[in-house]
Amino acid sequence: FDPETEVYTKLLPANSPLSTDDQVKFLLEAEDGIWVGTKTSGLLQLSQDGQILQQYSTSSSPAISHNHILCLEKDEEGILWVGTFGGGINRLDLAQKTIDIYTVKDNLANNNVVGILGYDQDYLWISTYNGLSCFHKPTQTFQNFYQEDGLSHYEFNYSSSFKDRQGRYYFGGMNGVTAFYPQAIIGQAP
């Protein structure tokens, strides 16, 4: 949408390989284009004029863990973090063209990742359907938080995360909003 002309422009061309019944679940605008998380077609990288530059799916090489994408976050190192419905979180290194997958087997709170917010250079805060995970990137370890740790509910809603100007993080869940300052929590025993 162009606010000056008040004209809408279709992002994807009419000859797009996306199925017409697919749903866009998340959009992330970055310097390398627009990243689109879909319900059934995986992850797309689009140019500003809507051309598909790259598609990642369970059948691409490298492959993502699940085609149902719920959230995206790009960190300062250019790594794209992809939250999936049922497939955990995927670390997509665009320069190396590699994907690392983290799931409950790696101590992620739940494989349904609905929100990702970066903190500092070393951490990601990840909301799921069963708690909140803090991922320490250098050691590849998770610290998980649940209702008994003060969360409003164990289940969070997708696309319901926000960082304000003062550095407070907000994650919306089934029973309200959980808000906190990451620096006050990191390193505490769960």
Side-chain angles (χ1 to χ4, degrees), residues 117 125 132 149-153 156 160-164 167-173 175-182 184-185:
L117 291 176
W125 286 91
L132 188 64
D149 299 309
L151 300 182
S152 62
H153 197 271
F156 289 91
S160 185
S161 57
F162 176 73
K163 174 186 172 184
D164 72 19
R168 192 171 191 180
Y169 283 46
Y170 300 84
F171 290 92
N175 201 24
V177 175
T178 297
F180 59 92
Y181 291 97
I185 297 172

Side-chain angles (χ1 to χ4, degrees), residues 38-43 56-59 64-69:
T38 70
K39 186 173 183 179
T40 60
S41 299
L43 176 66
Y56 295 93
S57 69
T58 54
S59 59
I64 56 176
S65 62
H66 202 285
N67 284 336
H68 191 162
I69 309 300

Side-chain angles (χ1 to χ4, degrees), residues 14-167:
N15 63 350
S16 167
L18 283 179
S19 92
T20 55
D21 61 344
D22 202 356
Q23 297 175 13
V24 171
K25 303 301 275 185
F26 201 93
L27 291 170
L28 177 68
E29 188 174 14
E31 66 282 348
D32 57 352
I34 301 168
W35 291 94
V36 181
T38 70
K39 186 173 183 179
T40 60
S41 299
L43 176 66
L44 304 173
Q45 179 187 19
L46 304 179
S47 65
Q48 292 295 333
D49 62 356
Q51 297 301 310
I52 297 175
L53 303 174
Q54 184 72 28
Q55 181 172 8
Y56 295 93
S57 69
T58 54
S59 59
S60 67
S61 182
I64 56 176
S65 62
H66 202 285
N67 284 336
H68 191 162
I69 309 300
L70 293 176
C71 57
L72 301 167
E73 173 78 357
K74 195 165 188 188
D75 69 19
E76 292 126 4
E77 298 170 352
I79 303 297
L80 186 64
W81 296 89
V82 182
T84 69
F85 183 77
I89 188 168
N90 292 240
R91 178 189 181 276
L92 174 54
D93 185 328
L94 300 164
Q96 300 295 319
K97 298 192 182 325
T98 59
I99 295 177
D100 297 308
I101 299 166
Y102 301 94
T103 66
V104 293
K105 292 178 184 174
D106 303 296
N107 202 32
L108 177 63
N110 185 264
N111 284 335
N112 296 316
V113 174
V114 295
I116 308 167
L117 291 176
Y119 172 70
D120 202 18
Q121 288 182 327
D122 292 340
Y123 296 93
L124 294 174
W125 286 91
I126 303 163
S127 56
T128 75
Y129 276 8
N130 188 36
L132 188 64
S133 291
C134 179
F135 182 66
H136 185 239
K137 293 188 280 185
T139 60
Q140 298 181 28
T141 57
F142 291 93
Q143 182 179 1
N144 297 320
F145 300 89
Y146 304 97
Q147 276 185 283
E148 56 267 21
D149 299 309
L151 300 182
S152 62
H153 197 271
Y154 63 89
E155 185 175 341
F156 289 91
N157 298 324
Y158 76 89
S159 297
S160 185
S161 57
F162 176 73
K163 174 186 172 184
D164 72 19
R165 290 182 188 172
Q166 289 75 39

